[in-house]
Each structure stands twice: as C-alpha cells, then as structure tokens.
Amino acid sequence: SQQGEEDPQALSIQEGENATMNCSYKTSINNLQWYRQNSGRGLVHLILIRSNEREKHSGRLRVTLDTSKKSSSLLITASRAADTASYFCATDEGSNYQLIWGAGTKLIIKP
Amino acid sequence: NAGVTQTPKFRVLKTGQSMTLLCAQDMNHEYMYWYRQDPGMGLRLIHYSVGEGTTAKGEVPDGYNVSRLKKQNFLLGLESAAPSQTSVYFCASSYGTGYEQYFGPGTRLTVT
C-alpha cells in the first residue's frame, strides 16, 4: 500500500517561476526522501530529511517537513527547462527496511 | 564507478516464458531492492535483500523470485510470465535503511 501521496498530480509553470509540490503520509516516520525521475530513466535522489528536522536546502531545492501535519513540501526556485521531470516522495516505516512511494508529481517547465 | 546497472534494458516475453533480470552495483552496498513501476503509479517493492545470501518479500512478491549469491548482484526471476507483469523494473541499492537509494536505468518488460 502506498503511504506518500503527492499533490498536485501535475504542474505546469513558466521557466523562472517557483514550483511547489506537497507530500502527505499516514503514519509516523523516521525520514522522508524526495527523488526526481526524468522520462524513461531511473530515479535520482534529491534530499533526505529526518523526522527531527524541519527544513533542508540543497541548491535551488528547499524541503520542509511538518510531522504534526504528516506532510512535506518540495520547493524548486527559479525553475529551468531541465527541471521537467516527475518528483516522488518516499517514506520509511520505522524498523521495516522498505520505502513507501507516492504516485509522483509531474512537473513541466515551459520555456 | 558504474553505480547500478541492469541487464537487459528491454525484453518482450510470451505468456508462460521465463527470464532473469540482472542487477549489479559497485558501491559495496549491503541493501538491494527490486521495484516495479506502472503508469501513473509510484514504485512498488517486489523483493529486497539486506545482505549477501538474504532475501525478503516486499509489497508485491507474487510471481517473482530473487537471489543474492554475491553482494554486488541481485537477480530477479520470472518463472512463468503473465501479461500483468508488463512493467518497468528498477533495481536500487543503498548503504542501509534510512539512507538514499541509488537506482539503475530500468528494464522495460512486455509480456504478450
């Protein structure tokens, strides 16, 4: 069963604008991860945020985590055409070894 | 470093045929995973391994078997392929639980 759910399912913005994607989950977690998938390719890890962290940055990416609301957001600032991809969040299940994945947000950056 | 590689990249099978997908990683990771990805869905875990000689079932293990005879390799087998197994299969590896996963490029499998 999938735990993470991304919102929106699809997002189309102009190059240069900011893109925000959200992820919600149902049970308590140790960490949450965001991945990017370019069309037809494998997933690439973006950021891992642990349950005791509230915010993390990596270049143009900013991830927030609100454990009280069981939600996370991924912000991409100053978007570029190369950011066109699907973005997935994944959560762990404590002592389990598995990551549970959401269905992803498809982001399209228009030139 | 090649990272995670998968063989083959594409395959077409007829119902009832068998095949093995090979995953190899050169990062000395203990953990390896096999996922399937279907259109409009996230990844679903088929089987995983937490070390050489160990395997465990994931969310959707039926119809698949795996083996981890060497630390760097993780094999996924389909004994009798069914059209429902048409999917893109991804292998991944990680240092451990709670760490990022590194993915291979995927194998696109079609069962007719």
Side-chain angles (χ1 to χ4, degrees), chain A residues 3-76:
Chain A
Q3 177 169 232
E5 293 186 6
E6 287 92 345
D7 170 60
Q9 290 185 339
L11 180 61
S12 181
I13 61 174
Q14 292 294 140
E15 192 168 18
E17 293 181 339
N18 296 342
T20 299
M21 288 156 270
N22 302 297
C23 171
S24 61
Y25 56 93
K26 296 184 178 67
T27 64
S28 60
I29 60 172
N30 293 316
N31 64 72
L32 182 146
Q33 302 184 42
W34 285 92
Y35 288 78
R36 182 188 74 233
Q37 183 181 34
N38 292 93
S39 180
R41 298 195 167 186
L43 282 75
V44 174
H45 181 262
L46 297 176
I47 288 184
L48 182 152
I49 187 165
R50 303 199 185 276
S51 60
N52 61 351
E53 298 175 310
R54 291 296 168 260
E55 189 170 307
K56 249 184 148 172
H57 297 254
S58 176
R60 293 183 296 112
L61 306 181
R62 184 180 77 128
V63 168
T64 60
L65 179 63
D66 187 335
T67 53
S68 66
K69 295 181 179 178
K70 293 185 171 59
S71 68
S72 173
S73 67
L74 169 66
L75 168 67
I76 303 173

Side-chain angles (χ1 to χ4, degrees), chain A residues 1-2 35 37 97-98 101-102, chain B residues 31 35 37 42 45 59 101:
Chain A
S1 60
Q2 293 188 328
Y35 288 78
Q37 183 181 34
Y97 297 104
Q98 304 181 43
W101 299 79
Chain B
Y31 290 36
Y35 293 95
Q37 184 178 39
L45 184 65
E59 182 185 353
Q101 294 186 10

Side-chain angles (χ1 to χ4, degrees), chain B residues 22 41 49 72:
Chain B
L22 171 63
M41 297 183 71
S49 168
Q72 63 268 33

Side-chain angles (χ1 to χ4, degrees), chain B residues 31-82:
Chain B
Y31 290 36
M32 296 187 75
Y33 315 83
W34 275 108
Y35 293 95
R36 61 178 289 172
Q37 184 178 39
D38 299 297
M41 297 183 71
L43 300 178
R44 290 186 292 169
L45 184 65
I46 304 171
H47 286 281
Y48 64 98
S49 168
V50 300
E52 182 179 312
T54 74
T55 63
K57 294 180 180 180
E59 182 185 353
V60 289
D62 294 342
Y64 306 94
N65 57 75
V66 288
S67 64
R68 183 102 181 265
L69 298 180
K70 292 183 179 180
K71 186 177 184 178
Q72 63 268 33
N73 295 338
F74 195 27
L75 278 64
L76 178 71
L78 285 73
E79 290 186 345
S80 180

